[in-house]
Amino acid sequence: MGGPALGQRAARVRIIQPCGPSHRDDGAPLYIKRWLNRFPGVTCDRFPVTVPADQWGDYDAVVYVDWAQDAFNGLPPFVPDPAKRSVCWQSDTHWKPEGWSYRMEQAVHYGTAAFAQRNAADVLAKGPPPFRVEWMPHAADHYVYYPAMRAKIEPPPKWEPDFGIFEEFMCEVIPRWDLCFVGYMQDPSRQERVERMFQAIPNFCFRPGVFFEEAAKVYHFSRVVFNPSARGDLNMRTFEALAARSFMLADRQQGMDTLGLKNGEHCLIYDTMEEAIELAKEWSDPSKDRKRIEIADAGWRWCLANHTYWHRAKTILGWLGITT
């Protein structure tokens, strides 16, 4: 295959990220592109999937990050040049069978097929594929979702996660709400669970369609961040809430145990809605504030230690055989 030799240190390596013709410049594709460009010697440029590869110029590798291409009618799954090193990181395999099939069809054409949902990686890995299959969960951009600060901070030249950069300016806030949920309600099961929780905790905040720093602010001003997954998947909100140094109450999600996310140490994990409601009532009480902040801080440190997009970008470079 073309591209840098295995183990080669990055030296003027150019990566192409195929993306949407009308893609919103946000989410995982943006985060990975941003962080890849922060590694010495690495350049990551984006091209719409509708632009022919012969217009990309010289490049060494392809990194495709799921941007819901299947939602655009008439766009076939993107297939990279087999002569180039390539990584595909798929998510949203849990929503519907059509999306699952589309993403699986696309993933088999890459040198490394990675999935944010562990069960998807497990299914594809059961066959005899001639490529690498990996589970790589979601992450958080720690300069978008970060603790409550006395002032806005700008990322320093050293982009690796550094606790000290934040600790100097971190502050506590007086909660406005006992509980919050940030996210969409397309899933009927999630809607039912959220509505039950809001009935039990009247002082709640519901923010659909809120992202990035605005979502982090909602987390900061809530005693409990309620995070019910759609299908038991380890969702992006898990990492974003923890990166914001917020106290998270989540259902038991795929892979939490594998990653070492511990109930009662980094967050609270429930198995039934009855248990979730009792925990929310208990931990939204102001008498629990001190212990709640201790757990939120431990969850933040757990996230920054291993689960930022800096970590995910570094892993992708490793799969491409590029060391930094």
Side-chain angles (χ1 to χ4, degrees):
M1 299 178 68
L6 185 63
Q8 176 180 323
R9 182 169 296 279
R12 295 187 299 277
V13 172
R14 184 167 183 252
I15 296 172
I16 298 297
Q17 185 192 76
C19 216
S22 58
H23 173 67
R24 296 182 313 169
D25 195 19
D26 60 26
L30 170 66
Y31 295 144
I32 289 296
K33 177 177 178 287
R34 174 188 295 167
W35 287 98
L36 286 174
N37 277 306
R38 289 290 170 173
F39 284 89
V42 176
T43 298
C44 181
D45 294 323
R46 174 180 292 167
F47 282 92
V49 294
T50 52
V51 174
D54 59 9
Q55 298 181 26
W56 295 355
D58 293 333
Y59 66 99
D60 301 288
V62 171
V63 172
Y64 181 97
V65 181
D66 192 355
W67 56 274
Q69 183 177 337
D70 60 315
F72 287 71
N73 294 331
L75 281 180
F78 178 82
V79 177
D81 183 345
K84 300 291 185 179
R85 297 189 183 277
S86 59
V87 171
C88 177
W89 187 23
Q90 300 283 47
S91 62
D92 289 345
T93 55
H94 58 299
W95 277 108
K96 55 185 179 180
E98 296 84 358
W100 171 286
S101 299
Y102 188 98
R103 287 165 173 80
M104 287 293 184
E105 178 186 347
Q106 184 175 58
V108 298
H109 296 286
Y110 287 76
T112 297
F115 296 87
Q117 279 76 40
R118 189 175 68 175
N119 64 331
D122 291 344
V123 168
L124 196 60
K126 289 179 180 178
F131 52 86
R132 184 201 311 258
V133 178
E134 298 283 355
W135 170 52
M136 186 166 71
H138 289 295
D141 189 307
H142 57 293
Y143 280 100
V144 174
Y145 294 88
Y146 53 80
M149 312 292 283
R150 295 195 302 273
K152 182 176 176 60
I153 60 172
E154 297 297 332
K158 180 184 177 184
W159 277 70
E160 296 91 332
D162 185 338
F163 296 105
I165 293 172
F166 298 93
E167 288 174 324
E168 181 179 355
F169 298 99
M170 285 194 315
C171 65
E172 303 301 338
V173 297
I174 298 175
R176 298 176 185 172
W177 308 290
D178 291 332
L179 180 139
C180 74
F181 172 78
V182 176
Y184 289 116
M185 302 277 274
Q186 304 101 317
D187 180 63
S189 173
R190 174 185 281 169
Q191 180 174 344
E192 178 186 1
R193 285 173 284 164
V194 170
E195 289 177 350
R196 286 186 62 186
M197 182 61 77
F198 287 169
Q199 290 172 3
I201 310 293
N203 181 26
F204 65 84
C205 177
F206 172 46
R207 292 290 186 272
V210 173
F211 308 97
F212 317 123
E213 289 89 352
E214 290 304 310
K217 288 179 182 178
V218 175
Y219 295 156
H220 295 158
F221 286 100
S222 303
R223 285 192 166 89
V224 177
V225 175
F226 184 46
N227 176 22
S229 67
R231 301 287 187 277
D233 58 296
L234 188 56
N235 58 23
M236 194 177 296
R237 189 177 296 104
T238 296
F239 300 97
E240 292 170 349
L242 295 177
R245 196 167 173 260
S246 298
F247 183 83
M248 183 182 70
L249 172 62
D251 57 334
R252 196 172 301 277
Q253 301 171 0
Q254 298 173 12
M256 282 181 165
D257 52 348
T258 304
L259 298 181
L261 186 61
K262 297 181 179 179
N263 183 23
E265 181 176 336
H266 305 120
C267 63
L268 291 187
I269 300 172
Y270 69 88
D271 291 298
T272 68
M273 268 307 298
E274 290 73 21
E275 180 186 7
I277 290 171
E278 289 305 311
L279 288 171
K281 289 179 178 178
E282 176 185 356
W283 286 89
S284 62
D285 191 293
S287 66
K288 287 283 191 177
D289 280 356
R290 183 181 297 274
K291 183 61 177 177
R292 179 179 53 79
I293 292 171
E294 289 178 6
I295 293 176
D297 185 74
W300 171 65
R301 295 178 187 278
W302 174 89
C303 188
L304 254 66
N306 293 291
H307 302 292
T308 70
Y309 278 98
W310 179 87
H311 293 97
R312 302 298 184 252
K314 189 175 180 67
T315 296
I316 287 172
L317 290 176
W319 290 337
L320 293 172
I322 301 170
T323 58
T324 60

